[in-house]
Amino acid sequence: MIDTLPISAISLSPIGVIESDYPDKFGIPRQPGLAPAARASLILAPPFDDPLAVRGLEDFSHLWLTFLFHLSPDRSASRRWAPLVRPPRLGGNARVGVFASRSTHRPNRLGLSLVELVEIDTRRGVRLVLCGADLVSGTPVLDIKPYLPWAEARPEARAGFAPEAPSLLPVAFSAATAATLAERPDGDSLGELIIQVLAQDPRPAYRQGAEARIYGVRLRDVDVRFQAIATNEGMRIEVVEIVAA
Ligand code: SAM
């Protein structure tokens, strides 16, 4: 029987930082792969930006990233961490244990995401081009591991209160926002990203009915304003304004 933990504190150095289409954490899908149009790069920092450190990684299509939820409160400091959290998937009311959740509010603020590797650029340091990441720009990354589908894919696994991907809402653009997108060189990919992000209905769980309120999500260099509208066919999201952030 171990009387005391052998380690009281661990110090880790980030190996790199994320630059992504998400300047802000509001609106980011709650797991990777839900918005495949989301672009991100992992820029390795010295001394980890040695191309030798990623030799062979180009033969893997997907990677696990371990990272720090750096925008979540650091509960190891003065505040006691909370053993129960309220997952948005349960409507924000029911509580489950923090270790039964993927909550961003957890003792060591560690996150884990499976992302697609698109390209490795070693022209200046090392930049991994990724898609579908659920990470805000500036997220410090602690480790990279290649994904092994034969060991890690478990389609038959039980997934508790989140047994399947969240349902999606239809997204429509007003004439003015469609025109704004048409004027941009990245209009097609930005439009795709907006649809994939807003289809998840990023509004807080307790506000998932129709309402007059207008919300804003920051994507790339714009603020995308949207509204939830009730129709005979059900709820839909309307993009009402796209303005420079
Ligand atoms: N796939 C990861 C996991 O399971 O550990 C993240 C899941 S977490 C529920 C996803 C949410 O984390 C996103 O919707 C976003 O709002 C938030 N997020 C992303 N990067 C963050 C960061 N660096 N700090 C705090 N929150 C972040």
Side-chain angles (χ1 to χ4, degrees):
M1 170 111 178
I2 299 172
D3 291 336
T4 53
L5 282 174
I7 356 177
S8 55
I10 299 171
S11 162
L12 302 172
S13 304
I15 58 157
V17 69
I18 291 287
E19 274 179 16
S20 78
D21 275 345
Y22 301 121
D24 191 88
K25 65 181 181 165
F26 177 68
I28 302 179
R30 298 202 180 96
Q31 285 304 331
L34 296 174
R39 303 175 311 198
S41 288
L42 167 52
I43 320 286
L44 296 191
F48 310 105
D49 60 346
D50 182 337
L52 292 177
V54 291
R55 185 189 282 177
L57 195 62
E58 68 280 3
D59 294 332
F60 292 86
S61 63
H62 291 76
L63 311 174
W64 288 113
L65 299 182
T66 313
F67 60 91
L68 189 76
F69 287 117
H70 74 303
L71 298 182
S72 298
D74 181 358
R75 287 168 188 260
S76 64
S78 51
R79 297 168 58 189
R80 202 178 78 85
W81 57 275
L84 291 173
V85 296
R86 300 169 198 255
R89 275 297 277 272
L90 292 176
N93 294 321
R95 300 197 221 197
V96 300
V98 65
F99 300 130
S101 84
R102 305 296 288 250
S103 171
T104 60
H105 289 51
R106 47 198 322 117
N108 288 315
R109 298 193 295 167
L110 283 180
L112 181 68
S113 289
L114 181 65
V115 296
E116 187 174 343
L117 175 64
V118 178
E119 185 194 339
I120 302 181
D121 181 354
T122 53
R123 281 171 298 179
R124 277 182 51 212
V126 177
R127 186 170 70 99
L128 306 188
V129 182
L130 313 169
C131 80
D134 54 350
L135 306 174
V136 71
S137 235
T139 297
V141 173
L142 298 162
D143 203 1
I144 304 167
K145 287 185 183 176
Y147 169 64
L148 301 177
W150 53 268
E152 295 171 313
R154 289 282 186 269
E156 76 287 6
R158 284 180 292 122
F161 61 83
E164 58 207 22
S167 52
L168 301 178
L169 294 183
V171 177
F173 292 90
S174 66
T177 58
T180 305
L181 284 178
E183 283 165 13
R184 289 179 58 112
D186 67 343
D188 286 348
S189 71
L190 179 59
E192 213 182 334
L193 178 63
I194 292 172
I195 291 172
Q196 292 171 358
V197 165
L198 297 189
Q200 316 276 331
D201 196 355
R203 294 173 303 149
Y206 58 87
R207 287 197 178 268
Q208 301 262 306
E211 49 172 342
R213 182 167 166 172
I214 291 179
Y215 289 86
V217 167
R218 285 191 63 194
L219 298 173
R220 296 190 188 164
D221 57 340
V222 292
D223 196 3
V224 180
R225 303 203 174 126
F226 68 96
Q227 196 174 13
I229 294 171
T231 68
N232 289 339
E233 292 79 46
M235 191 82 75
R236 77 179 159 85
I237 299 286
E238 170 130 345
V239 184
V240 293
E241 215 180 358
I242 299 177
V243 292

